[in-house]
Amino acid sequence: MEVLTQVEQNKAYSNLQLNSALQRASLSKEDTGLATELVYGTVSRLNTLDYFLERFVAKGVKKLQPWVRNLLRLSLYQMMYLDRIPPHAVVNEAVNLAKHRGHQGISGMVNGVLRNILRNREDLIIPEGLSTAKRIALEHSHPQWLVNRWISQYGETTAEAICRANNEPPSVSVRVNITMISREEMLAEMKEAGLDAAPSALSPEGILVRSGGNMALSCWYRDGQISVQDESSMLVAGAVRPTPGMRVLDCCAAPGGKTAHMAELMNDQGEIIANDLHEHKRKLIGEQAERLGLDSIHTVTGNALELAQRYPAGSFDRILLDAPCSGLGVIRRKPDLKWTKTAEDIGEIASLQCELLDSVSSLLRVGGILVYSTCTIDPEENEGTVQHFLKTHPGFGIPENSGEEWCKLHSTAGGAGVQILPQDYHSDGFYIARLQRFS
């Protein structure tokens, strides 16, 4: 309840807020799992929960104190979406919390609302006759402006599939540090330790871990043999395709997952300049490199728009611009994103992306490859940005030979890049474009 209230009132990130609350609480593994489910589930289903609560709260959900509103949401989420917690236990827990945090009047109101919902559970259905966008928005809990936008961009069926996928729990995947161990050897070790693990179908260095707890607490992680990374994100370094001895620029590198992946693909031979705007984030990249035993990564701090003043024109073989974006491809991991973003945000971010591409492109040598990637699924930020760049930079184009893996993905896309939607491979939504400098 406290985490949800902080997220709502202070616009705190649910993942950071939850992590710090869990560290303070020192719960059992099972209770940690339940607390995580309750926070992410409630944030994820927010507008559906409020829609139904509105029928049972006499003065309206918006007029309640924030903690009371979140207590009711949390309780209704358990009744509607979880099947192992008995309804009477949900009500008792909510009433006790209300007594503890508030007073008799509030606990009585909470008790009345929840018991009334239990008596009328069969009424918790979305009515017939809504427009498609409104039905999708309520059934899969997304803001209606976003559903409308996705319907106009992708069509109704795909828009609904995106929303449905965003409410599924994310997969756990790790990237093997191939400078230390092969994927086959790591898989064998994991299976020997009793983990349910399988090779990723998307990335040659990826492993899907279906059971095994927090992989960032494993000895393999500590020893630098693996990194926790989404499968879609692993495709980015593969698209850059750096080879040993190259000079590579990673423009917006923190927290350093893709930087480290490129260094691993280069067998730690060559140089990667990893830039980030913030000093504390630059440190994160350095810590990653140290953990993974990678010496080819050199971290710098600065505005990516000013990199063209810091380095000579044409001085890099490869450039990765993993651009700032709306993040609409990672709603599954960060459900609060869908409630905080606006259409105006997308327009502003897209114009920054165009500026960044324009600025860093001069640092690429003729014949070199520039990879533009984002973790969003919005065409304005993706294909739109790349097409604008190609129109205004006649010396750049799409490379003819992009390799077998890339072509396999590319055949499903069209345009300059590959757009992965969250339902395609049960991974994050991602966009990746490979561009080559011809003159």
Side-chain angles (χ1 to χ4, degrees), residues 316-318 364-370 396 435-438:
F316 291 95
D317 302 297
R318 295 282 187 273
L364 189 67
R365 68 164 173 81
V366 174
I369 297 284
L370 186 160
F396 283 77
L435 306 169
Q436 186 164 15
R437 185 169 187 177
F438 295 117

Side-chain angles (χ1 to χ4, degrees), residues 159-379:
E160 182 159 15
I162 292 168
C163 294
R164 185 182 292 113
N166 283 342
N167 289 324
E168 291 164 2
S171 303
V172 175
S173 51
V174 299
R175 185 189 79 242
V176 177
N177 181 356
I178 53 173
T179 67
M180 290 190 185
I181 188 169
S182 72
R183 177 163 78 168
E184 288 63 37
E185 290 167 319
M186 179 50 69
L187 270 167
E189 282 193 24
M190 285 179 167
K191 285 182 177 165
E192 206 174 307
L195 269 64
D196 181 4
S200 160
L202 270 187
S203 166
E205 293 80 43
I207 293 177
L208 275 171
V209 185
R210 297 193 192 95
S211 70
N214 186 344
M215 297 309 293
L217 301 177
S218 67
C219 57
W220 302 304
Y221 183 91
R222 191 187 59 237
D223 298 342
Q225 293 180 309
I226 61 167
S227 296
V228 179
Q229 189 180 13
D230 184 78
E231 290 178 279
S232 296
S233 176
M234 291 181 213
L235 292 171
V236 175
V240 176
R241 203 153 321 123
T243 54
M246 278 187 172
R247 190 159 189 256
V248 179
L249 174 63
D250 191 348
C251 305
C252 308
K258 300 176 190 75
T259 319
H261 192 186
M262 290 190 290
E264 290 161 9
L265 294 177
M266 291 161 69
N267 204 22
D268 204 27
Q269 294 164 28
E271 180 185 32
I272 299 179
I273 304 284
N275 174 72
D276 199 81
L277 185 57
H278 305 287
E279 175 58 27
H280 69 280
K281 289 191 173 178
R282 183 187 72 81
K283 283 187 182 148
L284 291 177
I285 306 166
E287 285 162 14
Q288 284 265 35
E290 199 175 323
R291 181 180 66 81
L292 297 162
L294 301 167
D295 300 319
S296 57
I297 295 169
H298 300 127
T299 59
V300 296
T301 310
N303 188 332
L305 286 169
E306 292 160 12
L307 288 168
Q309 281 90 62
R310 285 176 76 167
Y311 299 102
S315 57
F316 291 95
D317 302 297
R318 295 282 187 273
I319 293 178
L320 169 59
L321 175 58
D322 186 43
C325 70
S326 62
L328 295 175
V330 294
I331 287 172
R332 186 188 274 144
R333 293 181 194 281
K334 299 177 179 174
D336 29 336
L337 267 176
K338 62 186 173 186
W339 308 120
T340 54
K341 288 288 178 247
T342 65
E344 291 71 36
D345 291 339
I346 294 170
E348 282 170 27
I349 292 168
S351 64
L352 171 63
Q353 291 161 344
C354 289
E355 275 184 73
L356 283 166
L357 254 183
D358 175 56
S359 176
V360 302
S361 61
S362 64
L363 295 169
L364 189 67
R365 68 164 173 81
V366 174
I369 297 284
L370 186 160
V371 167
Y372 172 80
S373 63
T374 72
C375 59
T376 185
I377 59 172
D378 197 275

